[in-house]
Amino acid sequence: MAERMPAGTGSGQPVVLLEGVTRDYGRDVVTRVLKGVDLRLAAGEFTALVGPSGSGKSTLLNLVGLLDRATSGRVCLEGVDTAGLDDTALTRLRGRSIGFVFQFHHLLPAFTALENVMLPGIARDGRPSDALRRKAEEMLDRMGMSDRLRYKPGQLSGGQQQRVAIARALCLGPRLILADEPTGNLDTAAGAQVFELLRRINREERAAFLVVTHDQHIADRCDRVVELVDGSIVSEHAPPPA
Amino acid sequence: MPFEWFVALRYLREGRIQTVLILLGVSTGVGVIIFLSALITGLQSRLIESTLGSQAHVVVRPPEEMPRLLHEGRVEGTDPAAVARNLAPGDEALAVRLEKPAQRLRSINQWPQVMRDIEQVRGVTDVSPLVAGSAFVTRGEASRSVALRGIDPERFRRIIDMPEHMAAGTFRVQGTEAVIGTGLATDLGVRVGDRIRVLTAGDRADIFTISGIFDLENKGVNDSWVLVSLKSAQNLLDLAGGISAIEARVDRIFTAETIARAVARRTGLVAESWMAINGQLLVGLRSQSSSSTMIQAFVVVAVALGIASVLVVWVVQKNREIGILRAFGTTRGQVLRVFLIQGLLLGAAGWVVGVGIGTVLSYIFAGLATNPDGTPTFPVNLSWQLFAGTLVMALGVGLLSATAPARRAAGLDPAEAIHHG
Ligand SMILES: Nc1ncnc2c1ncn2[C@@H]1O[C@H](COP(=O)(O)OP(=O)(O)OP(=O)(O)O)[C@@H](O)[C@H]1O
Ligand SMILES: [Mg+2]
């Protein structure tokens, strides 16, 4: 893969590069939710996105995740400027390169844990395959869920559901994982467990992580903390050493 | 299994009540259409069958002679109606009298050639000469007025399947043999082998031996037809060597009118189709067909609206899930196809159940009432065309009514759908 093309000073090509990104909502009354955001996420980097409620964290995550388009500015994923891509190309790129973990697990209730993990791959390939099944089983195993493959989401606890959701996000080996308050809906113990899983995957897979969190405890254990206030990035710093 | 089918099938399976409800709607619709069509085509073909069981598809005759107008002793060949219109009230009373020419049978000129000409007309499968006139039949004291019909039995049996309809004896009219209907036989109290005397207007008479008694399931015909050989009828009706009509059979009965016109053009004779002769029947059949078509159209619309409305609700309920599928790389096209496939599957499954419902309903209805001979009073006609037609309809309706919900689902903004459901 070409995601690590050498560039100038030896730092690889960023997985995500945002330049002057704005996002407006509303037609009659226009609200500028993002006010010129510059952001760079490198491979293997685990970044926390923090900020008060309504500051635009989810909006930013949607833009980085190619679920939404910027009003102005550039959004590049692995060196590809996404402005020129049509919806199908955008969708394919998203499916190939990005994994999502949401606050509320968002598993599909009609499908088993295993099927939920396999679905992105089935959508990508057009049909299921044994290789895909093995990969999905392996991911669920790494999440400690190998004894729950045939359970439907409704039969799993919140923490278990979130672990299945993480397995799903990781199954196709994305270069970028986006998580919107992945532990926000879990108690402290389950939340800590899920976070540890994310961190471990980050170390093993060298994917870039952008994790929205309100939990100071979690933010403190990331490589970098980006703080968004009222649509602008106000600080970018490494957490204080533990 | 392809992705779209996998997801579509799973959603249908998980949507239990909704799926069952739509299926009920579709299958009821299909069942009603099948039942209604089977019943109406059954009834109609029964009616047509019984009408054509004793009637040729096309009858060719010599042109009628113009009625002559007798007007103050002058004979005029002009249109009598035009002359009649000139009469005003209070005019000198005029002796106006329309007179048909005397009831003399006229022959078709050079009929063997004409018959060959008619046989050449596209769609005509068989032709048969006929000498027809009125006569009396006497047997002891009994006397009946009858329709004497001289026929060529080999040809005539291809116009009307006489051997199939013999109640007694055989269908044979050689020499002085005659075949009569069950009604006439009862009236006269005769059986096969008995003799009858046939008498015509010109005081010509002949004795015939009854070789067979037919039942064409038509009272008028059973009561009045006396079938004899061409030659006998020609003698009795004073039509030596001539025939009074040519009867023809066509391959497709509803083309009879067109074929009759072609025959008339070709021969210069009068050609009447069974459709023209039974005008009333046809008007009845047509209005029956069109009202049933209308009912079916409404059923189709109702089924379509049913599928569409349930699928729309489905899409709304699944907004978030669709958004998630999109986030994980499912394209708009794939989402669109998931819902179109659901429509198709609902149509197909509804059709399968509907065929069952319609068939069972048809047989129950056919079994409700039977004629004395065991045949159903309400015959049903379940044809493969009906099943194929309703399958195409069910699939079409399923696909079409899924289109709007599918487009809606495909057009969802994934970010919006995920965060706001
Ligand atoms: N679809 C939308 N239409 C209009 N305004 C929107 C839309 N989505 C978000 N907004 C507005 O954008 C602002 C930022 O919303 P966003 O969801 O990004 O905040 P957030 O930082 O994720 O907050 P929280 O921590 O509560 O999740 C809010 O003021 C919200 O009202
Ligand atoms: Mg948010």
Side-chain angles (χ1 to χ4, degrees), chain B residues 65-87:
Chain B
E65 274 176 23
M66 271 296 197
R68 288 175 305 173
L69 180 66
L70 304 177
H71 180 217
E72 290 185 324
R74 287 208 323 272
V75 179
E76 295 193 348
T78 46
D79 176 14
V83 176
R85 264 203 304 279
N86 287 336
L87 297 174

Side-chain angles (χ1 to χ4, degrees), chain A residues 62 67 87-88 91-92 94-95 100 102 106 108-111 115 119-120 122-123 126-128 152 168-169 180, chain B residues 1-4 6-7 10-11 13-14 320-321 324-332 334 413-415 418-419:
Chain A
N62 286 342
L67 289 171
D87 186 78
T88 305
T91 303
R92 294 250 157 79
R94 185 166 66 222
F100 295 89
F102 302 98
H106 290 345
L108 304 189
F111 298 86
E115 288 166 342
L119 265 177
I122 301 175
R127 59 191 64 243
K152 294 259 175 95
R168 178 177 63 180
D180 200 343
Chain B
M1 193 188 318
F3 171 78
E4 290 90 337
F6 179 57
V7 176
R10 183 60 59 88
Y11 275 166
R13 217 176 73 193
E14 288 299 305
R320 174 167 284 150
E321 293 183 37
I324 292 163
L325 284 169
R326 299 272 290 117
F328 285 109
T330 307
T331 61
R332 283 182 198 278
Q334 286 177 315
D413 173 7
I418 290 168
H419 292 282

